[in-house]
Amino acid sequence: MGGWAIAVHGGAGVDPNLPAERQEEAKQLLTRCLNLGISALESNASAIDVVELVVRELETDPLFNSGRGSALTEKGTVEMEASIMDGTRRRCGAVSGVTTVKNPISLARLVMDKSPHSYLAFSGAEAFARQQGVELVENEYFITEDNVGMLKLAKEANSILFDYRIPPVGCAGEAAATAIDLPTKMNGLPISVYSPETVGCVVVDREGRCAAGTSTGGLMNKMVGRIGDSPLIGAGTYASELCGVSCTGEGEAIIRATLARDVAAVMEYKGLELQEAVDYVIKNRLDEGFAGLIAVSDKGEVACGFNCNGMFRGIATEDGFMEVAIWE
Ligand code: ASP
C-alpha cells in the first residue's frame, strides 16, 4: 500500500475573467477542505467517511455550485444532485431533484447505507430525507445573490453554460483563457455565460480503500427536471477496488462518455496506470465536450486531467505533498 491520498475539485471550466480575490477565496476553501480530509485520514478514517466529510464542507460553503450556492433552474429554483461510491464493496448511493436537503451528499450516503436502492429522486428522495431525519432548510437558503445575477445573464443570452475549450499548447492561466477560440453555440444554444462549478472528492485510505463523491446544483438555467452526470454512477462518479473518480464539466458529454467508469475500465482491462488511464479517457472519450476529473488509485496515487482552460483542484498525499491549483 502506498499510504493515503486525497483530491478535491471545485469544477472544470473557469471564467477567464474571474477576479483574483475569487481565485484566492477558491484556493483557500480547497485548502481548508484538503486539511479537513487530511486530519481525518491521519486519524485512520475510512475513505468513504472522508469523502462525505469533505463534500459536506464544500456544499455548506456558498462559493462553489453545490448545496448553498447551487446553480438555478430556468425557474429560479434549486434542484440538487449528488452521488457517492465505496469502491471496496462497489456500493453506491445517489440523489437528484433535491430541494430542501442541506447536504445532498449525506442523503446519497444514506441511500447507499439505509435503503434497498441505489438512486432516489425528486419527491421520493425528499420523503426519504424526512424519514431519515437529515437536516432540511428552506429552498431560499441555497439561493445566493451571485447566482440570481448569473441566471439573469443566462436568460438574457438564452444560454445554459459557458464553454472553456482547450487552450493552445504552452499557454497557461489568463493568457491561455484569452487565447481560446470560444465556440458560440452548444446544443444549438448560444454560449455566453459562466456557470459556477460542481464539487467532488476522491480518497484512498491507508488500507487502500478507494471512494468517490460528487455534488452539484447542475447547470445554470437548466430545464426543470434535468439530470446531469454528477448523480450518475459510472458517469460523474465511480469507485472500484482499483480507483475512485469524480468528474466535472459538461454533463451531457460526460454521460455519453461514461467518463468515471471508463477510467476504472481501462485500468482493469488495459492494465493502465492511474495517470495514463486519466489521460486516455480525457483524450479519447470526450468527443465535442469539455470536462475534468480527479482520481486516486489503491496504490496511493492521485491524478487529475481536463480538456478545458482550468479546473479548481487540490491534491495531497501521505508523503507530505500538497498542491492547490486552478489553471494548467
Ligand atoms: N457536470 C455538471 C453538470 O453537468 C456541471 C459541472 O461540473 O459544473 O451538471
Side-chain angles (χ1 to χ4, degrees), residues 158-176:
N158 186 26
S159 164
I160 48 166
L161 81 163
F162 204 126
D163 183 28
Y164 301 110
R165 294 287 165 130
I166 311 166
V169 179
C171 286
E174 277 177 30

Side-chain angles (χ1 to χ4, degrees), residues 235-305:
T237 305
Y238 194 74
S240 69
E241 301 79 2
L242 292 177
C243 64
V245 184
S246 169
C247 303
T248 168
E250 187 195 345
E252 284 69 13
I254 297 170
I255 292 169
R256 288 196 296 274
T258 56
L259 203 63
R261 167 62 195 157
D262 264 31
V263 172
V266 294
M267 288 179 78
E268 202 172 325
Y269 301 132
K270 278 170 90 75
L272 298 191
E273 294 298 327
L274 186 73
Q275 187 67 59
E276 288 173 344
V278 169
D279 294 344
Y280 182 90
V281 299
I282 292 282
K283 183 158 179 279
N284 296 300
R285 301 292 292 139
L286 281 169
D287 47 49
E288 295 284 288
F290 81 94
L293 62 85
I294 51 172
V296 287
S297 79
D298 63 333
K299 294 186 205 150
E301 298 156 319
V302 60
C304 65

Side-chain angles (χ1 to χ4, degrees), residues 65 81 196-198 216 218-219 226 228-230 248-251 254:
N65 169 17
E81 33 197 23
E197 296 94 352
T198 295
T216 190
L219 297 179
R226 181 259 186 186
D229 60 298
S230 309
T248 168
E250 187 195 345
I254 297 170

Side-chain angles (χ1 to χ4, degrees), residues 38-57:
I38 291 169
S39 321
L41 285 161
E42 288 291 331
S43 311
N44 290 323
S46 67
I48 191 79
D49 284 347
V50 177
V51 164
E52 183 185 354
L53 178 79
V54 169
V55 174
R56 278 179 70 94
E57 187 73 11

